[in-house]
Amino acid sequence: MDSTDSRLLPSSCNGKHRVRISVDRGGTFTDCIGVFPVEPTAADPSEERIVVVKLLSEDPAHYPDAPREGIRRILELATGRLHPRDAPLDTSNIESIRMGTTVATNALLERKGEPCALVVTQGFHDLLKIGNQARPRIFDLAIAKPEVLYQRVVQVDERVTLVGYAMDPRPAPRESHDGDNIVVGRSGEHVRVLKTPDWAAVRQQLQQVFESGIRSVAICLMHAYTFAEHEEKIGQIANEIGFTHVTLSSRLSPMVKIVPRAHSATADAYLTPGIRRYVDGFAKEFDAGFSDIRVDFMQSDGGLAPVEHFSGLRAILSGPAAGVVGYSVTSFSPSQPVGVVGFDMGGTSTDVSRFGGELEHVFETTTAGVTIQAPQLDINTVAAGGGSRLFFRNGLMVVGPESAGAYPGPACYRNGGPLCITDANLLLGRLRAEHFPHIFGPNENQPLDADTTRSLFEQMAEQINSEMRTRHMLSGAAPRDKTAEEIALGFLQVANETMCRPIRTLTEAKGHDVQKHALACFGGAGGQHACAVAANLGIRRVFVHRLASVLSAY
C-alpha cells in the first residue's frame, strides 16, 4: 500500500464488480479497506491497489452510518468520481463486502435489544432469574444481578421426561408398548411424553403476547434438545399469529443444559431483529441492494456467514474475531511454531487472545451476565482502550471502565470530551498529531487538539497535587508536585497493567509460558502500548503488521 498511489480502476473494469471491500465497525473507529485492479506502471508494477479509510464510528453531524460512508469514500478513490452522501451507492463496481460489526455486542451490553417473550415449560418461569446458582463473587457485599432479556414469560403446560436415563453411551435396546407414549429422540434417548400441550390454550397465550406489542419470541422447553416436536408446533403457531422472529432452542442450540440453552435462545430473539433491521437499512443505501453483490458478516467463531444467515447469537464477537483470524495468518509461522498472543487495542476496549497453530474455541461463555451456548473464539476483553476515561479517585489513578466512545471521544477530538488514554499518549509524544487522520472539527479536516489535552492535564495535575499536599499535611512531609507528563505516564502504567491481566489468564493460567510467546500488536492504539505490555510480561518479540491499525478489516 502506497499513500502516494493515485491509480484508478481501469475503464475496462468499470461496472464489472471488481472492487472488494472489507469493513470493521468498532466502538470508536470504523476501518474500511478496498482492493481493486489497476494498470501497472514502471514506478509501481503491482496490479492491485489497496486503499484504507478510517473514520469515527459515530459522527452524527456528518454521516448517519460509518460503514456506508467508508464504502462511499472507497468508491470515490477507486473510480475518481464523486458519490453524493445523500444518494444510494452504485453497486456496479462492488464485487463483495465483508464486515465485522459491534451492533449485537453493543445491544447486549447496553440492553437495547428487541423486546421479546420467553416460552418455557410450566413451572420454570423463573428459570433464568434463578440460573445455575453460580456465585463467582461470593464475598462481594453488594451483588448487582443483570436483568433478564425477556419482558414476558409464557408457561406451556407440557412435560416430557427421559426414560431409564443412564451414563452408558450404548444403552441396551428398550422395548416400548402401546400406551407408553415413548418415542426415540434425536440423541437416541427414549423420551416419554407425560403431557401434550393444549394447543388452543397456547395459541391464546401467544395471541395475548402479540397484542401487547411484542414481536419476537424465544421457545425453550425441557428436553427439547432431543424431543423437539412441541417446540416446533409452538413455533408454527407463533408464525401463524404474526411474530416477526421466532427462535427455537432445539434448532439454535440442541444441547443439554436448559439454562444456557434458554439463555442462548433468548439472546437470539433479543439481538437478531436488531441485526436484521441494521442489515436491511444498510442494504437500502445501495441502488440495487445486495442482489448482485456478495455480502458476508464475520461470526464469533471466526467464520464468515452470508448476510441472510447472520444471527444475533453468533454476532456477539463479530468484530474481535476478525482480528484473531488476521493475526493468525500474518504472525504465525508453521515452520517456527511459536505461540502468538494477540493484542488488539482499539478505542473502546482491548481484546486479547492466543494462537498456537489452531484457533482456540470455547462453547459456553458468559457475556454481560448472559450465558451463551455457541462456539466462539476464546477472546478476553478488558475495558481499557484509547477512549477509556481517566479519573483520580480516593488518591488512586483509575482508568475506565467508562469510555468516551467515538462521540464526544477523547478531549483531543475537538468535541468537548474528557481526558482519555489517547490524550495521555498525545501529551507524551507517543501519538503524533501530524500522522493521525485529520478528520476532526466542523469540516472534518483538522488534526488532534494537543492544546486542549495539555490544558486539561495541567488542571488535573493541579487537582492531584493539591489533594496530595492536603493528605500529607499532618505527616509534615511535603510531597514533590507532579508535572502533567508524570500524571499522564502514571495513567498509562495503570492501563498497561490492566491489559496484562487477561493475557496472563490466557497463557499462564492454562499452563503456557507467556515469555515463550510473541506479541502480535494491532488495533488503532496497540502500537502505543505494545512494547510496555511486552516488557511487563517478559515477551521479547513484538509483531506489528504494516496494516496493524486496520488488521481486523484486512
Side-chain angles (χ1 to χ4, degrees), residues 487-549:
I487 298 296
L489 182 60
F491 279 114
L492 292 186
Q493 290 171 343
V494 172
N496 291 337
E497 183 56 37
T498 301
M499 292 182 287
C500 287
R501 292 172 191 164
I503 295 177
R504 294 189 181 102
T505 300
L506 281 174
T507 53
E508 294 172 350
K510 295 184 178 181
H512 304 291
D513 185 353
V514 67
Q515 297 185 16
K516 294 182 180 179
H517 288 68
L519 187 71
C521 152
F522 57 104
Q528 300 156 32
H529 295 259
C531 291
V533 169
N536 285 355
L537 296 170
I539 294 177
R540 301 177 61 86
R541 179 183 293 181
V542 177
F543 292 125
V544 182
H545 190 267
R546 65 191 180 98
L547 294 176
S549 68

Coordinates of all heavy atoms in Angstrom, one line a residue, residues 487-549:
I487 N 1.8 12.7 35.4 CA 0.5 12.3 35.6 C 0.0 11.4 34.5 O -0.5 10.3 34.7 CB -0.5 13.5 35.8 CG1 -0.1 14.3 37.0 CG2 -1.9 13.0 35.9 CD1 -0.2 13.7 38.3
A488 N 0.3 11.8 33.2 CA -0.1 11.1 32.1 C 0.6 9.7 32.0 O 0.0 8.7 31.7 CB 0.2 11.8 30.8
L489 N 1.9 9.7 32.4 CA 2.6 8.4 32.4 C 2.1 7.5 33.5 O 2.0 6.3 33.3 CB 4.1 8.7 32.7 CG 5.0 7.5 32.7 CD1 5.0 6.8 31.4 CD2 6.5 7.9 33.0
G490 N 1.7 8.0 34.6 CA 1.1 7.2 35.7 C -0.2 6.5 35.2 O -0.4 5.3 35.4
F491 N -1.0 7.2 34.5 CA -2.3 6.6 33.9 C -1.9 5.5 32.9 O -2.6 4.5 32.9 CB -3.1 7.7 33.3 CG -4.0 8.5 34.3 CD1 -3.7 9.8 34.5 CD2 -5.0 7.9 35.0 CE1 -4.5 10.6 35.4 CE2 -5.7 8.6 35.9 CZ -5.5 9.9 36.1
L492 N -0.9 5.7 32.1 CA -0.6 4.7 31.1 C -0.1 3.5 31.8 O -0.3 2.3 31.3 CB 0.5 5.3 30.2 CG 0.1 6.4 29.2 CD1 1.2 6.7 28.2 CD2 -1.2 6.0 28.4
Q493 N 0.7 3.6 32.9 CA 1.2 2.4 33.6 C 0.0 1.6 34.2 O 0.0 0.4 34.2 CB 2.2 2.9 34.7 CG 3.5 3.4 34.1 CD 4.4 4.0 35.2 OE1 3.9 4.4 36.3 NE2 5.6 4.2 34.9
V494 N -1.0 2.3 34.7 CA -2.2 1.7 35.2 C -2.9 0.9 34.1 O -3.3 -0.3 34.3 CB -3.1 2.7 35.9 CG1 -4.5 2.0 36.3 CG2 -2.5 3.3 37.1
A495 N -3.0 1.5 33.0 CA -3.7 0.9 31.8 C -2.9 -0.3 31.3 O -3.5 -1.4 31.0 CB -3.9 1.9 30.7
N496 N -1.6 -0.2 31.3 CA -0.8 -1.3 30.8 C -1.0 -2.6 31.7 O -1.1 -3.7 31.2 CB 0.7 -0.9 30.7 CG 0.9 0.1 29.6 OD1 0.1 0.2 28.6 ND2 2.0 0.9 29.7
E497 N -0.9 -2.3 33.0 CA -1.1 -3.4 33.9 C -2.5 -4.1 33.8 O -2.7 -5.3 33.9 CB -0.8 -3.0 35.4 CG -0.9 -4.1 36.4 CD 0.1 -5.2 36.1 OE1 1.2 -5.0 35.6 OE2 -0.3 -6.4 36.3
T498 N -3.5 -3.2 33.6 CA -4.9 -3.7 33.4 C -4.9 -4.7 32.2 O -5.6 -5.7 32.2 CB -5.8 -2.6 33.3 OG1 -5.8 -1.7 34.4 CG2 -7.3 -3.1 33.1
M499 N -4.2 -4.3 31.1 CA -4.3 -5.1 29.9 C -3.4 -6.4 30.0 O -3.6 -7.3 29.2 CB -3.8 -4.2 28.7 CG -4.8 -3.1 28.4 SD -4.4 -2.1 27.0 CE -3.1 -1.1 27.6
C500 N -2.4 -6.4 30.9 CA -1.6 -7.6 31.1 C -2.4 -8.7 31.8 O -2.1 -9.9 31.5 CB -0.4 -7.3 31.9 SG 0.9 -6.3 31.0
R501 N -3.3 -8.4 32.6 CA -4.0 -9.4 33.4 C -4.7 -10.5 32.5 O -4.5 -11.7 32.8 CB -5.0 -8.8 34.4 CG -4.3 -8.0 35.5 CD -5.3 -7.2 36.3 NE -4.7 -6.2 37.2 CZ -5.3 -5.2 37.8 NH1 -6.6 -5.0 37.6 NH2 -4.7 -4.4 38.6
P502 N -5.5 -10.1 31.5 CA -6.2 -11.1 30.7 C -5.2 -11.9 29.9 O -5.5 -13.1 29.6 CB -7.2 -10.3 29.8 CG -6.6 -8.9 29.8 CD -6.0 -8.7 31.2
I503 N -4.0 -11.3 29.6 CA -3.0 -12.1 28.8 C -2.5 -13.2 29.7 O -2.3 -14.4 29.3 CB -1.9 -11.2 28.3 CG1 -2.5 -10.2 27.3 CG2 -0.8 -12.0 27.7 CD1 -1.5 -9.2 26.8
R504 N -2.2 -12.9 31.0 CA -1.8 -14.0 31.9 C -2.8 -15.0 32.1 O -2.5 -16.2 32.2 CB -1.4 -13.3 33.2 CG -0.2 -12.4 33.2 CD 0.2 -11.9 34.6 NE 1.4 -11.0 34.5 CZ 1.3 -9.7 34.7 NH1 0.1 -9.2 34.9 NH2 2.3 -8.9 34.6
T505 N -4.1 -14.6 32.1 CA -5.2 -15.6 32.2 C -5.2 -16.6 31.0 O -5.5 -17.8 31.2 CB -6.6 -14.8 32.3 OG1 -6.5 -14.0 33.4 CG2 -7.7 -15.8 32.4
L506 N -5.0 -16.1 29.8 CA -5.0 -16.9 28.6 C -3.8 -17.8 28.5 O -3.8 -18.8 27.8 CB -5.1 -16.0 27.4 CG -6.5 -15.5 27.0 CD1 -6.4 -14.5 25.9 CD2 -7.5 -16.6 26.7
T507 N -2.7 -17.4 29.1 CA -1.4 -18.2 29.0 C -1.0 -18.9 30.2 O -1.2 -20.1 30.3 CB -0.3 -17.2 28.5 OG1 -0.2 -16.1 29.5 CG2 -0.6 -16.7 27.1
E508 N -0.6 -18.2 31.2 CA -0.1 -18.8 32.5 C -1.1 -19.6 33.2 O -0.9 -20.7 33.7 CB 0.5 -17.8 33.4 CG 1.8 -17.1 32.8 CD 2.2 -15.9 33.6 OE1 1.5 -15.5 34.6 OE2 3.3 -15.4 33.4
A509 N -2.4 -19.1 33.2 CA -3.5 -19.9 33.9 C -3.8 -21.2 33.2 O -4.5 -22.0 33.7 CB -4.7 -19.0 34.0
K510 N -3.4 -21.3 31.9 CA -3.7 -22.5 31.1 C -2.4 -23.4 30.9 O -2.4 -24.3 30.1 CB -4.3 -22.2 29.8 CG -5.7 -21.5 30.0 CD -6.4 -21.3 28.6 CE -7.8 -20.7 28.8 NZ -8.5 -20.5 27.5
G511 N -1.4 -23.0 31.6 CA -0.2 -23.8 31.5 C 0.8 -23.4 30.5 O 1.8 -24.2 30.2
H512 N 0.6 -22.3 29.8 CA 1.6 -21.8 28.8 C 2.5 -20.8 29.4 O 2.1 -19.9 30.2 CB 0.8 -21.2 27.6 CG -0.2 -22.1 27.0 ND1 0.2 -23.2 26.3 CD2 -1.5 -22.0 27.0 CE1 -0.9 -23.8 25.8 NE2 -2.0 -23.1 26.2
D513 N 3.8 -20.8 29.0 CA 4.8 -19.8 29.5 C 4.6 -18.6 28.6 O 5.0 -18.6 27.4 CB 6.2 -20.4 29.4 CG 7.2 -19.5 30.0 OD1 6.9 -18.3 30.3 OD2 8.4 -19.9 30.1
V514 N 4.2 -17.5 29.2 CA 3.9 -16.3 28.4 C 5.2 -15.7 27.8 O 5.2 -15.1 26.7 CB 3.2 -15.2 29.2 CG1 4.1 -14.7 30.3 CG2 2.7 -14.1 28.4
Q515 N 6.4 -16.0 28.4 CA 7.6 -15.4 27.9 C 8.1 -16.2 26.7 O 9.0 -15.7 26.0 CB 8.7 -15.5 29.0 CG 8.4 -14.7 30.2 CD 9.5 -14.7 31.3 OE1 10.6 -15.1 31.0 NE2 9.2 -14.3 32.5
K516 N 7.5 -17.3 26.4 CA 7.9 -18.0 25.2 C 7.0 -17.7 24.0 O 7.0 -18.4 23.0 CB 7.9 -19.5 25.4 CG 8.9 -20.0 26.4 CD 8.9 -21.5 26.6 CE 10.0 -21.9 27.6 NZ 9.9 -23.4 27.9
H517 N 6.2 -16.7 24.1 CA 5.3 -16.3 23.1 C 5.8 -15.0 22.4 O 6.6 -14.3 23.0 CB 3.9 -16.0 23.6 CG 3.1 -17.2 24.0 ND1 3.5 -18.0 25.1 CD2 2.0 -17.8 23.5 CE1 2.6 -19.1 25.2 NE2 1.7 -18.9 24.2
A518 N 5.2 -14.7 21.2 CA 5.4 -13.4 20.6 C 4.1 -12.6 20.8 O 3.1 -13.2 21.1 CB 5.7 -13.6 19.1
L519 N 4.2 -11.3 20.7 CA 3.1 -10.4 20.9 C 2.7 -9.8 19.5 O 3.5 -9.1 18.9 CB 3.4 -9.3 21.9 CG 2.2 -8.5 22.3 CD1 1.2 -9.2 23.2 CD2 2.6 -7.2 23.1
A520 N 1.5 -10.1 19.0 CA 1.0 -9.6 17.8 C 0.2 -8.3 18.1 O -0.9 -8.5 18.7 CB 0.2 -10.6 17.0
C521 N 0.7 -7.2 17.8 CA 0.1 -5.9 18.2 C -0.7 -5.4 17.0 O -0.2 -5.3 15.9 CB 1.1 -5.0 18.6 SG 0.7 -3.3 18.3
F522 N -2.0 -5.1 17.2 CA -2.8 -4.4 16.2 C -3.9 -3.7 16.8 O -4.0 -3.6 18.1 CB -3.3 -5.5 15.2 CG -4.2 -6.6 15.8 CD1 -5.5 -6.6 15.7 CD2 -3.6 -7.7 16.4 CE1 -6.3 -7.6 16.2 CE2 -4.3 -8.7 17.0 CZ -5.7 -8.7 16.9
G523 N -4.8 -3.0 16.0 CA -5.8 -2.1 16.6 C -5.2 -0.7 16.5 O -4.0 -0.5 16.5
G524 N -6.1 0.3 16.5 CA -5.7 1.7 16.4 C -4.7 2.1 17.5 O -3.9 3.0 17.2
A525 N -4.8 1.6 18.7 CA -4.0 2.1 19.8 C -2.9 1.1 20.2 O -2.2 1.3 21.2 CB -4.9 2.5 21.0
G526 N -2.9 -0.1 19.6 CA -2.0 -1.2 20.0 C -0.5 -0.8 20.0 O 0.2 -1.1 20.9
G527 N -0.1 -0.1 18.9 CA 1.3 0.2 18.8 C 1.9 1.1 19.9 O 3.1 1.1 20.2
Q528 N 1.0 1.9 20.5 CA 1.4 2.8 21.6 C 1.7 2.1 22.9 O 2.4 2.7 23.8 CB 0.4 3.9 21.8 CG 0.1 4.7 20.5 CD -1.3 5.3 20.6 OE1 -1.8 5.7 21.6 NE2 -1.9 5.5 19.4
H529 N 1.2 0.9 23.0 CA 1.3 0.2 24.3 C 2.0 -1.1 24.2 O 2.3 -1.8 25.2 CB -0.1 0.0 25.0 CG -0.8 1.3 25.3 ND1 -0.8 1.7 26.6 CD2 -1.4 2.2 24.6 CE1 -1.5 2.9 26.7 NE2 -1.9 3.2 25.4
A530 N 2.3 -1.6 23.0 CA 2.8 -3.0 22.8 C 4.1 -3.2 23.5 O 4.3 -4.2 24.2 CB 2.9 -3.3 21.3
C531 N 5.0 -2.3 23.4 CA 6.4 -2.5 24.0 C 6.3 -2.6 25.5 O 6.9 -3.4 26.2 CB 7.3 -1.5 23.5 SG 7.8 -1.6 21.8
A532 N 5.5 -1.7 26.1 CA 5.3 -1.6 27.6 C 4.7 -2.9 28.1 O 5.1 -3.5 29.1 CB 4.5 -0.4 28.0
V533 N 3.6 -3.4 27.3 CA 2.9 -4.6 27.7 C 3.9 -5.8 27.6 O 3.9 -6.7 28.5 CB 1.7 -4.8 26.9 CG1 1.1 -6.2 27.1 CG2 0.6 -3.7 27.3
A534 N 4.6 -5.8 26.5 CA 5.6 -6.9 26.3 C 6.6 -6.9 27.4 O 7.0 -8.0 27.9 CB 6.2 -6.8 24.9
A535 N 7.1 -5.8 27.8 CA 8.1 -5.7 28.8 C 7.6 -6.2 30.2 O 8.3 -6.9 30.9 CB 8.7 -4.3 29.0
N536 N 6.3 -5.8 30.5 CA 5.7 -6.3 31.7 C 5.6 -7.8 31.8 O 5.7 -8.4 32.8 CB 4.3 -5.6 31.9 CG 4.4 -4.2 32.2 OD1 5.5 -3.6 32.5 ND2 3.3 -3.5 32.3
L537 N 5.3 -8.4 30.6 CA 5.1 -9.8 30.5 C 6.4 -10.6 30.3 O 6.4 -11.9 30.3 CB 4.1 -10.1 29.4 CG 2.7 -9.6 29.6 CD1 1.9 -9.7 28.3 CD2 2.0 -10.3 30.8
G538 N 7.5 -10.0 30.0 CA 8.7 -10.7 29.7 C 8.8 -11.2 28.2 O 9.6 -12.1 27.9
I539 N 7.9 -10.7 27.4 CA 7.9 -11.1 26.0 C 9.0 -10.3 25.2 O 9.1 -9.1 25.3 CB 6.5 -10.9 25.3 CG1 5.5 -11.8 26.0 CG2 6.5 -11.1 23.8 CD1 4.1 -11.6 25.5
R540 N 9.8 -11.0 24.4 CA 10.9 -10.4 23.7 C 10.7 -10.0 22.3 O 11.5 -9.3 21.7 CB 12.2 -11.3 23.8 CG 12.5 -11.6 25.3 CD 13.7 -12.6 25.3 NE 14.9 -12.1 24.7 CZ 15.8 -11.3 25.4 NH1 15.6 -11.0 26.6 NH2 16.9 -10.9 24.7
R541 N 9.6 -10.5 21.7 CA 9.4 -10.3 20.3 C 8.0 -9.7 20.1 O 7.0 -10.3 20.6 CB 9.5 -11.6 19.4 CG 9.3 -11.4 17.9 CD 9.4 -12.7 17.2 NE 10.7 -13.2 17.2 CZ 11.1 -14.3 16.6 NH1 10.2 -15.0 15.9 NH2 12.4 -14.7 16.6
V542 N 7.9 -8.6 19.3 CA 6.6 -8.0 19.0 C 6.4 -7.9 17.5 O 7.3 -7.4 16.8 CB 6.5 -6.6 19.7 CG1 5.2 -5.9 19.3 CG2 6.7 -6.6 21.2
F543 N 5.3 -8.4 17.0 CA 5.0 -8.3 15.6 C 4.0 -7.1 15.4 O 3.0 -7.0 16.1 CB 4.3 -9.5 15.1 CG 5.2 -10.7 15.0 CD1 4.8 -11.9 15.7 CD2 6.4 -10.7 14.3 CE1 5.6 -13.0 15.6 CE2 7.2 -11.8 14.3 CZ 6.8 -13.0 14.9
V544 N 4.3 -6.2 14.4 CA 3.5 -5.1 14.0 C 3.3 -5.2 12.5 O 4.2 -4.9 11.8 CB 4.0 -3.7 14.5 CG1 3.0 -2.6 14.1 CG2 4.3 -3.7 16.0
H545 N 2.1 -5.6 12.1 CA 1.9 -5.7 10.6 C 1.8 -4.3 10.0 O 1.5 -3.3 10.7 CB 0.6 -6.5 10.4 CG 0.3 -6.8 9.0 ND1 -0.4 -6.1 8.1 CD2 0.7 -7.9 8.3 CE1 -0.5 -6.6 6.9 NE2 0.2 -7.8 7.0
R546 N 2.1 -4.2 8.7 CA 2.1 -2.9 8.1 C 0.7 -2.3 8.1 O 0.5 -1.1 8.0 CB 2.6 -3.0 6.7 CG 1.7 -3.8 5.7 CD 2.5 -4.1 4.4 NE 1.7 -4.9 3.5 CZ 1.0 -4.4 2.5 NH1 0.9 -3.1 2.3 NH2 0.3 -5.2 1.8
L547 N -0.4 -3.1 8.2 CA -1.7 -2.6 8.3 C -2.3 -2.9 9.7 O -3.5 -3.3 9.8 CB -2.6 -3.3 7.2 CG -2.3 -2.9 5.8 CD1 -3.2 -3.7 4.8 CD2 -2.4 -1.4 5.5
A548 N -1.5 -2.8 10.7 CA -1.9 -3.2 12.0 C -3.1 -2.4 12.5 O -3.9 -3.0 13.2 CB -0.7 -3.0 13.0
S549 N -3.2 -1.2 12.2 CA -4.3 -0.4 12.7 C -5.6 -0.7 12.1 O -6.6 -0.4 12.6 CB -4.0 1.1 12.5 OG -4.0 1.4 11.1

